[in-house]
Amino acid sequence: MVLHRRTLLTGAAALAVAPEAVAQPAVPPTGDPPLGHDAPPRTAPGSTLEVLRLWPGKPPGGGGPNPEGPRFDESREGVVTGVAEPCLLVMRPARPTGSAMVIAAGGGYRRIDLGHEAVPVGLWLNGLGVTAFALVYRLPGEGWAAGADAPIQDAMRAVRLARARARRYGYEPNRIGVMGFSAGGHLMGSASTRFASPLYAAVDEDDALSARPDVAALIYPVITLKPPFDRTSSRRVLVGDSPTRVATETYSVETRVPPETPPTFLAQAADDPIAVVENSLLMFSALRAVEVPVEMHLFERGGHGFNLGVPGSPAAAWPGLFATWARRRGFIRA
């Protein structure tokens, strides 16, 4: 069976922000298990990206879409659904500077907007010398037994796998960050606060490594599932229309922020109509309360889903602000 088109690159604008990005063959490095599905057509944009499976067998708990079908379904715009096999898509810089970033695109936990968010951002990070991994995570509504924990398990495993592959890909195991957008911001917020939670049993030696990211960047993130800020697709998918107080507390990121949470960068527009700006404000306050280093940038305009930012708009400043912050913290060295 031929995998659905993987249109991961969103045109010349995405390429322009990362002139040093290097396409990699879609073949697993020696030592990784076979991928188990047909490769995408060689003519499909993005088909040269290397695919790294997250799990050596079935993901924890089982369930999900038909494992005999494609790894995941993808539209021409790079919108992913039907994730049968969670994985990482690898984007390697021409001149690595020793750090890596696992990126989670948004989509309300109903889809993953790889083409709009994860891949353009990964190429931009390549231009800074950062190895980028776009995370294709399980969607809770697609029949996974682990339910709302399924994407968090994938994010934790992705950080561990990135740490285990540091020598192979040429970066340092103590310079691995996470970056998330919208629902992906909720996911990476969960990964950066729940890294010590025993959400799944170890499946191999890679799970002996820490799942704690070294930095986190949450861009227009969904953080809370509590009213009155709970009018998001993420809340409905994760805890339902009439959630219990326990479920709401469990999956609201700001309620579970330990002092060991990594230094965090927040960016959001004040006019965001979906993940309202109170999400970042709540996370900022929770991080400050346990003395975790945090930097937050709120922009007057930008709405939701601005990705790298429309040129000339206030929100377009965040990539430069993040790069400055990351260099100051020693995460990016150039």
Side-chain angles (χ1 to χ4, degrees), residues 131-154:
T131 301
F133 297 93
L135 175 60
V136 179
Y137 51 91
R138 284 173 287 166
L139 299 170
E142 294 186 338
W144 296 101
D149 283 342
I152 307 174
Q153 292 171 345
D154 289 346

Side-chain angles (χ1 to χ4, degrees), residues 175-202:
R175 288 167 62 197
I176 297 170
V178 295
M179 179 177 286
F181 299 80
S182 191
H186 180 276
L187 177 55
M188 289 318 197
S190 299
S192 66
T193 55
R194 301 183 65 183
F195 52 85
S197 299
L199 292 187
Y200 67 90

